[in-house]
Amino acid sequence: MEQYGYVGKILRVNLTTGEKEVFPTEKYVDGFMGSKGLAAKIYWEEVGPEVKPFDPENKLIFASGPANGTGANSSGKGSLAGKSPVWYPVSSFTHSTTGNFTPTMKRAGFDAIIIEGKAEHPVYLWICDGHVEIRDGRDLWGKTTRNA
């Protein structure tokens, strides 16, 4: 199947184990349009109704659509999805629009990034030229973007 507009790779990062996996986008985009469709398909396949918002089994999913990052009108927005604690008393799937992150993610070679698990201490994800690292973020903890 041709995947016009997609890079063809999804990155999964498990913060508990430190494992990183790259797998094809293909199975997630057939019949699901755009960043919200891609994020929703991943969520519904991987997060069960018993999973609570702050459980390590929950997923934080960043996704881009086929036109994302192309410069086409209104194509700069991507999606951030997962199970939200805000929907009291029943937590459920939620979706938000992202700004410049998803075009950058796509230029880095990924249509989506799935973050799962729970780190022992603050960490951040570093991606450069297809190389992915989970780095120690304790020295950044509590700082703002101005003083980081």
Side-chain angles (χ1 to χ4, degrees):
M1 174 182 95
E2 292 291 333
Q3 297 180 68
Y4 298 107
Y6 288 100
V7 176
K9 295 186 294 184
I10 295 175
L11 172 65
R12 177 186 312 277
V13 178
N14 188 309
L15 299 178
T16 304
T17 64
E19 293 177 13
K20 301 168 287 278
E21 173 191 9
V22 176
F23 56 94
T25 306
E26 184 176 19
K27 107 174 202 181
Y28 295 98
V29 295
D30 190 27
F32 294 86
M33 185 62 177
S35 61
K36 186 175 182 181
L38 175 57
K41 172 77 169 160
I42 293 168
Y43 173 85
W44 290 114
E45 284 193 0
E46 297 192 11
V47 181
E50 72 286 349
V51 175
K52 303 286 187 252
F54 297 113
D55 288 351
E57 296 80 22
N58 193 10
K59 315 286 184 199
L60 185 62
I61 305 162
F62 294 88
S64 66
N68 198 235
T70 63
N73 196 18
S74 299
S75 67
K77 297 177 183 174
S79 294
L80 174 60
K83 187 171 279 190
S84 172
V86 174
W87 297 98
Y88 181 80
V90 178
S91 299
S92 63
F93 173 78
T94 190
H95 158 270
S96 180
T97 303
T98 65
N100 294 330
F101 177 76
T102 49
T104 304
M105 175 185 74
K106 200 168 189 177
R107 284 191 296 276
F110 301 107
D111 293 313
I113 298 175
I114 304 166
I115 300 174
E116 60 191 20
K118 181 179 177 182
E120 292 182 17
H121 54 79
V123 297
Y124 65 93
L125 194 58
W126 183 80
I127 302 172
C128 183
D129 296 330
H131 181 74
V132 179
E133 291 181 23
I134 300 171
R135 292 187 171 179
D136 191 332
R138 286 179 278 203
D139 60 328
L140 299 172
W141 196 248
K143 293 183 179 180
T144 66
T145 54
R146 286 184 176 248
N147 62 15

